[in-house]
Amino acid sequence: MELVRYNVIAEKNPREIILLRGLGCKWKRCKFCDYHLDFSTDAKKNFLLNKKVIDKVSGVFKNLEVINSGSFCELDTETLKFIKAKCLQKNIQRVCFETHWMYREKISSAKKFFAPINLNFKIGVETFDTYMREEILQKGFGNILPNEIAQFCQQVCLLFGIHGQTLESMQNDIDIALKYFARVCINIMNKNSTKIIPDQHVINLFRENIFPLYKNNSRVEILFSNNDFGVG
């Protein structure tokens, strides 16, 4: 089935969102993730596909989110150049890319490359519980503190619905995220090809107790399905 790669999001943080294809996630160790299967090592083919997607961008909200089942620097150079050119053409003032922690030192050079466009970066922390994040999910952050992550990234993704999470742990993650980051995206674990299985009890706890508190919060987006943003 062909993936949907462009959509317009009108609520909370109005923006266009594009799902591009990268050269492949270099980390590829996250125990819950199979997004990395959307890749090609052929940069020319990636650019041809990505160009068709980027050409759909209208600049309607002057705000663009770019995701690529990996990190921003795993996009080919021609794709990055074309994103910048399209943003300048359409007067898009802000672009959000996603990144893994191991690429944090590349963020400053990306901001220089895209100037005068304002870049934001979104990072999948999943949880601020170090044991859960590193031993169970294998995210590759180490014993990093939230304020250290916030020095590089303005937005954070959390992952809920996993065995071992509690009402208290999920609320704590949200409290920390809202303290240090401008925006929070909460993903609910969906069944996929990995060995991490959604815990329906944890999901129910979230849906009944936490979701009502944040469903109208302008800083918090909640995805019960992987394609709730209209791409994928």
Side-chain angles (χ1 to χ4, degrees), residues 18-29:
I18 51 177
L19 170 61
L20 304 182
R21 192 172 70 192
L23 296 166
C25 174
K26 298 298 187 295
W27 178 251
K28 209 181 300 183
R29 300 175 205 171

Side-chain angles (χ1 to χ4, degrees), residues 97-120:
F97 285 105
E98 55 185 354
T99 186
H100 187 275
W101 182 240
M102 68 180 179
Y103 291 125
R104 62 193 180 277
E105 301 299 339
K106 294 182 179 292
I107 287 176
S108 60
S109 59
K111 289 183 175 181
K112 291 178 182 177
F113 174 79
F114 274 90
I117 301 160
N118 179 31
L119 292 196
N120 273 214

Side-chain angles (χ1 to χ4, degrees), residues 14 21-22 62 87 99-100 117 125 130 135 183 197 206 218:
R21 192 172 70 192
K62 312 302 180 189
C87 289
T99 186
H100 187 275
I117 301 160
V125 173
T130 302
E135 300 300 322
R183 300 197 60 80
I197 306 298
F206 174 84
S218 62

